[in-house]
Amino acid sequence: MKVINNIREMQSFAESFRKSGKTIGFVPTMGFLHEGHLSLMRQAKKENDVVVASIFVNPTQFGPQEDLSRYPRDEEGDRAKCASAGVDHLFLPTAAEMYPEPPSVFVSIEGITDVLEGAIRPGHFRGVATVVTKLFNMVKPHRAYFGQKDFQQCAVIRRMTRGLDQDVEVIVLPTVREADGLAMSSRNSYLDANERRRAAVLFRALKAGEELIRAGVREPEQVRQKMRETLLTEQGIEIDYAEVADPDTLRPLEALSGRIVLLIAVRLGTTRLIDNLLVL
Ligand code: PAF
């Protein structure tokens, strides 16, 4: 596996792959890799000639009160994991290279970024869309892989590629979960043992919501209420939202029919956790 730190070098590798007719699969990450990331890398390996993964903790997607400075890092462990998952090129740009001057050029997507994560984390999706566009310009991928765990992020990126005619196929793969249902996330490392045990309630709440829908409940408020009640069975959970939404627009649903996504965000101690479940 080759490690690349430099943007120009990344671009010239990408150009040479493209010129020789090779397809590039890309997995952008912020590191501290877990099985969720590795599943994206393995799938990229199956579907492309060359796999590029990036690790960059992107400052523009963190709010001033958020966890940028304590975001977990493990470069050495991540290198080994990438190599074992079949990554050919690991791109590790520095913040100084990505943002040589205070950023003044941004990609913003309207509508779906006003709700849920976007409402609670103003500017977050602008930072994500900006860095993902920059990374696409560097890695020049044919396909880019994201995890469904960040459901709204996936919707934002899909909309961005369509709206900007970015010639990249966005591929979203299922959330990888721990045995008790907790969605894998780098931020799970913030949880102490007791919080870790309680964190499984997110998945229980999603499943409880899904069960009501499958049992024929057509009133979204009942489903929201059930998810909230389930979450509050564990101590110390503060709910940011427990929503029943349209998977394309992310707007709250007023009636249940067609495709539905259940989305939850909570705070548990100092850790913020999100999860979701598509009900088809
Ligand atoms: O999902 C993430 O890890 C990040 O938001 C991403 C897509 C790598 C952009 O920084």
Side-chain angles (χ1 to χ4, degrees), residues 28-30 58 61 131-132 146 150 153:
T29 81
M30 298 206 301
N58 172 40
Q61 69 189 74
V131 82
V132 171
F146 298 88
D150 297 302
Q153 169 171 282

Side-chain angles (χ1 to χ4, degrees), residues 26 36-37 63 77 93 97 123 142 171 197 206-207 216 243 245-246 255 265:
F26 178 41
H37 298 114
E97 241 215 310
H142 295 82
I171 295 172
R197 188 189 46 72
L206 291 167
K207 292 303 272 183
E243 196 47 272
D246 177 314

Side-chain angles (χ1 to χ4, degrees), residues 15-27:
E15 271 151 28
S16 71
F17 296 140
R18 280 191 163 252
K19 261 192 206 131
S20 57
K22 289 190 170 143
T23 55
I24 305 171
F26 178 41
V27 183

Side-chain angles (χ1 to χ4, degrees), residues 73-125:
R73 292 166 202 249
D74 176 17
E75 196 182 307
E76 210 179 304
D78 286 349
R79 282 182 192 230
K81 286 177 186 164
C82 286
S84 75
V87 170
D88 300 294
H89 288 71
L90 177 59
F91 182 39
L92 294 172
T94 62
E97 241 215 310
M98 288 295 269
Y99 299 110
E101 47 205 43
S104 59
V105 178
F106 297 99
V107 176
S108 62
I109 289 102
E110 294 178 8
I112 51 170
T113 58
D114 301 344
V115 290
L116 303 168
E117 287 304 284
I120 288 170
R121 305 182 66 189
H124 169 65
F125 287 121

Side-chain angles (χ1 to χ4, degrees), residues 77-253:
D78 286 349
R79 282 182 192 230
K81 286 177 186 164
C82 286
S84 75
V87 170
D88 300 294
H89 288 71
L90 177 59
F91 182 39
L92 294 172
T94 62
E97 241 215 310
M98 288 295 269
Y99 299 110
E101 47 205 43
S104 59
V105 178
F106 297 99
V107 176
S108 62
I109 289 102
E110 294 178 8
I112 51 170
T113 58
D114 301 344
V115 290
L116 303 168
E117 287 304 284
I120 288 170
R121 305 182 66 189
H124 169 65
F125 287 121
R126 187 178 78 153
V128 170
T130 302
V131 82
V132 171
T133 296
K134 284 164 73 67
L135 289 165
F136 283 175
N137 289 336
M138 296 164 193
V139 176
K140 307 180 192 294
H142 295 82
R143 300 187 184 88
Y145 295 79
F146 298 88
Q148 190 197 310
K149 151 130 192 310
D150 297 302
F151 191 90
Q152 192 174 8
Q153 169 171 282
C154 294
V156 167
I157 289 169
R158 279 209 166 107
R159 193 163 291 199
M160 174 183 86
T161 55
R162 275 207 311 274
L164 294 178
D165 305 298
Q166 292 172 331
D167 190 13
V168 186
E169 186 185 347
V170 174
I171 295 172
V172 176
L173 296 183
T175 304
V176 178
R177 298 181 180 282
E178 304 283 358
D180 63 0
L182 178 66
M184 290 203 185
S185 165
S186 308
R187 287 188 168 100
N188 293 350
S189 63
Y190 298 149
L191 301 168
D192 65 27
N194 194 277
E195 291 167 339
R196 167 64 193 84
R197 188 189 46 72
R198 285 181 280 152
V201 77
L202 273 84
F203 189 57
R204 288 205 298 279
L206 291 167
K207 292 303 272 183
E210 180 190 36
E211 212 171 287
L212 278 195
I213 298 170
R214 298 224 184 276
V217 168
R218 286 292 165 262
E219 180 47 59
E221 203 42 48
Q222 256 179 275
V223 178
R224 288 183 194 111
Q225 192 50 39
K226 181 73 187 175
M227 291 196 293
R228 298 181 80 87
E229 272 170 29
T230 309
L231 288 169
L232 295 175
T233 59
E234 289 292 351
Q235 273 191 340
I237 296 267
E238 284 181 56
I239 303 173
D240 277 347
Y241 56 77
E243 196 47 272
V244 181
D246 177 314
D248 298 317
T249 63
L250 273 308
R251 297 278 149 196
L253 284 173

